[in-house]
Amino acid sequence: MTWSKATLGQIADEVGGSIQTGPFGSQLHQSDYQSYGTPVVMPQNIVNDKITEDSIAYVDDVMVHKLSRHVLQVGDIVYPRRGELNKRAIISERESGWLCGTGCVKISLNNSPLVPSFLFYYLKQSQVVKWIENKAVGSTMLNLNTGILRSVEVQYPNYPSQQRIADILSSYDRLIDNNNRRIALLEESIHLLYKEWFVHLHFPGYESGKVVDGIPEGWKVSSIGHLSEVITRGITPKYDSESKTIVLNQKCIRNYQINFEFARQHHSQVSEHKKIIFGDVLINSTGIGTLGRVAQVLANFEDLTVDTHITIVRPKVELEKHFFGVALENLQDYFDTLGEGATGQTELKRQLLNVVPLLLPDENIRRYFDEKASVARLLVQKLLEQNYKLKEARDLLLPRLINGSIAV
């Protein structure tokens, strides 16, 4: 099979495509954003190779018309301009018509000899990511420009072969997406059950129960501090890619899950009480946009810790772990309101977490809820393990398919 070779800039020029940055700050101001309208894709909206609507900004139709050259189309690929240059996302039907925001770069190659999804996977290759990072400039934060992306060299087979390669790789991603949807539904069911029983107080047997001082008889109001053994921040890491201790940071916590994609490694000893164990609840405690995010550790790890941006809350030994975790996850939005400090860096202090009230039902109802939650979360863990294996298989196949060592 004959393979062609060209830079992205050469291809863009041949087909009338474009590789361009999003609008400048002088074109799109903070005051232009609103709570509804057309979504604007920012670097923080590029997560796990997709566009997330979490904390996404919107603009009105007038602004979209004004910035029409930045409107996204199906097959466009979007990069952040600064920081995490190992991130990218391909635009799907859902995001078609959205706006490429300030802080992003978009690659638009309509009617080119490249299948968009083939190009997306090509750019995922570790050697391509490293090449881009090595070319990027900046002493404290890597900066990506259009010249770097235009210089990326792509080797590609004929169009049908590209499509077959992309189809094979995307089949893994579809399975992962299906598992993620199942995980989201399972987590939603657990949180809905918690709210039904412990917020709306429609727990089993509530009709015949007595209410004393506004809460069911036998229940009490406690606090996070009284129900926890440890409430502490993590470590200041000394990173070393050859070490075995994994350090989670605030980017690792999203949608009540722990994402190890952004974790790094630390080479020094970690004190025992800062090593993460099963049942620990992790809360993002500094930052903007991620403050208050919660995730519970639902597996055993030998060498896992967190950095100082995360607070470890460890439930008492005798307390039901799943009940405690879901209770704190239910407070995620409330934690976000407790942040103190300047607008650039708010902080959720340990003293405030200590005194946050928590309704403590009687032991029988807690155990009943814990049993139901544990069944659902066991399935979540199995789905997460499946996803890990699927990603591993996809990532092993990716370079072999892309370089032609596996025929399609």
Side-chain angles (χ1 to χ4, degrees):
M1 183 189 302
T2 302
W3 288 58
S4 302
K5 183 189 297 185
T7 65
L8 289 180
Q10 290 171 335
I11 295 171
D13 292 342
E14 288 173 6
V15 302
S18 65
I19 300 174
Q20 64 179 44
T21 59
F24 295 114
S26 58
Q27 297 173 293
L28 184 58
H29 304 90
Q30 186 69 33
S31 58
D32 294 319
Y33 298 128
Q34 53 188 40
S35 56
Y36 59 92
T38 298
V40 182
V41 177
M42 304 290 195
Q44 63 266 27
N45 301 120
I46 304 174
V47 179
N48 293 336
D49 294 341
K50 292 187 176 12
I51 304 299
T52 175
E53 292 185 67
D54 289 355
S55 305
I56 203 164
Y58 300 87
V59 292
D60 60 24
D61 291 344
V62 173
M63 186 57 66
V64 174
H65 179 73
K66 177 182 175 183
L67 301 175
S68 58
R69 67 191 296 262
H70 299 289
V71 171
L72 296 166
Q73 302 176 40
V74 174
D76 286 355
I77 295 173
V78 182
Y79 270 91
R81 286 177 57 195
R82 297 181 184 87
E84 299 168 305
L85 304 187
N86 60 339
K87 299 199 308 183
R88 79 221 57 78
I90 187 167
I91 300 303
S92 67
E93 289 282 357
R94 183 186 70 129
E95 300 94 29
S96 180
W98 294 11
L99 208 62
C100 177
T102 301
C104 286
V105 186
K106 76 179 177 83
I107 303 171
S108 299
L109 302 177
N110 287 336
N111 302 314
S112 84
L114 293 176
V115 174
S117 50
F118 172 86
L119 176 60
F120 171 76
Y121 286 114
Y122 187 94
L123 295 171
K124 272 177 66 73
Q125 295 179 97
S126 58
Q127 70 267 28
V128 177
V129 172
K130 288 176 183 176
W131 187 91
I132 291 173
E133 289 177 335
N134 288 337
K135 293 290 182 181
V137 294
S139 55
T140 57
M141 182 177 289
L142 295 178
N143 286 266
L144 180 65
N145 57 49
T146 57
I148 294 171
L149 286 179
R150 285 180 60 86
S151 299
V152 173
E153 189 175 78
V154 183
Q155 297 185 53
Y156 54 95
N158 59 47
Y159 206 88
S161 296
Q162 290 180 54
Q163 190 65 65
R164 287 194 293 272
I165 290 169
D167 287 344
I168 291 169
L169 294 170
S170 62
S171 66
Y172 286 87
D173 284 332
R174 283 194 295 273
L175 289 171
I176 292 168
D177 288 342
N178 286 337
N179 282 348
N180 284 335
R181 282 190 284 272
R182 292 179 66 191
I183 289 168
L185 289 171
L186 286 164
E187 287 291 349
E188 183 182 20
S189 70
I190 295 169
H191 288 89
L192 287 174
L193 184 66
Y194 179 89
K195 289 178 180 178
E196 182 70 11
W197 286 16
F198 306 125
V199 177
H200 304 303
L201 301 182
H202 290 169
F203 54 92
Y206 78 95
E207 302 94 337
S208 58
K210 295 181 180 179
V211 175
V212 180
D213 295 330
I215 61 174
E217 188 176 29
W219 296 26
K220 64 180 180 180
V221 177
S222 186
S223 67
I224 291 176
H226 280 119
L227 298 175
S228 306
E229 289 182 338
V230 171
I231 300 182
T232 186
R233 292 285 182 90
I235 65 168
T236 301
K238 297 177 181 178
Y239 292 121
D240 179 359
S241 60
E242 300 301 318
S243 299
K244 64 179 182 177
T245 300
I246 304 298
V247 184
L248 302 176
N249 56 60
Q250 57 191 339
K251 295 175 185 175
C252 297
I253 299 177
R254 179 185 292 271
N255 299 327
Y256 310 123
Q257 299 292 328
I258 297 172
N259 184 343
F260 286 87
E261 180 182 351
F262 301 108
R264 296 176 67 184
Q265 289 151 285
H266 169 74
H267 74 80
S268 298
Q269 289 284 0
V270 177
S271 59
E272 287 301 317
H273 77 288
K274 293 197 177 185
K275 288 184 178 180
I276 303 304
I277 64 174
F278 180 90
D280 283 356
V281 179
L282 310 180
I283 305 175
N284 282 351
S285 296
T286 60
I288 298 292
T290 62
L291 189 72
R293 287 184 181 173
V294 181
Q296 187 171 29
V297 179
L298 298 173
N300 292 306
F301 298 92
E302 287 187 13
D303 294 285
L304 182 68
T305 187
V306 296
D307 69 12
T308 54
H309 296 290
I310 296 177
T311 298
I312 305 166
V313 183
R314 182 165 299 153
K316 288 186 174 180
V317 172
E318 64 273 18
L319 190 62
E320 293 77 13
K321 300 294 186 292
H322 296 289
F323 166 80
F324 185 75
V326 178
L328 266 60
E329 289 170 359
N330 189 58
L331 293 170
Q332 181 169 274
D333 291 341
Y334 176 63
F335 291 150
D336 186 26
T337 68
L338 298 179
E340 296 181 347
T343 55
Q345 184 76 3
T346 55
E347 180 181 3
L348 180 56
K349 295 181 178 178
R350 185 172 63 178
Q351 305 93 294
L352 290 174
L353 276 175
N354 257 311
V355 298
V356 170
L358 205 62
L359 184 62
L360 189 66
D362 68 60
E363 186 176 353
N364 289 334
I365 196 69
R366 293 200 314 266
R367 284 185 176 179
Y368 191 20
F369 176 83
D370 205 71
E371 289 171 5
K372 287 181 171 292
S374 65
V375 170
R377 287 194 153 169
L378 180 61
L379 182 52
V380 166
Q381 288 305 303
K382 288 181 178 179
L383 291 169
L384 289 171
E385 289 170 11
Q386 284 181 22
N387 278 357
Y388 177 81
K389 292 176 181 177
L390 287 166
K391 289 176 184 177
E392 194 174 45
R394 178 201 63 197
D395 293 344
L396 283 171
L397 272 176
L398 192 152
R400 300 174 187 178
L401 287 167
I402 293 290
N403 65 24
S405 60
I406 295 178
V408 294

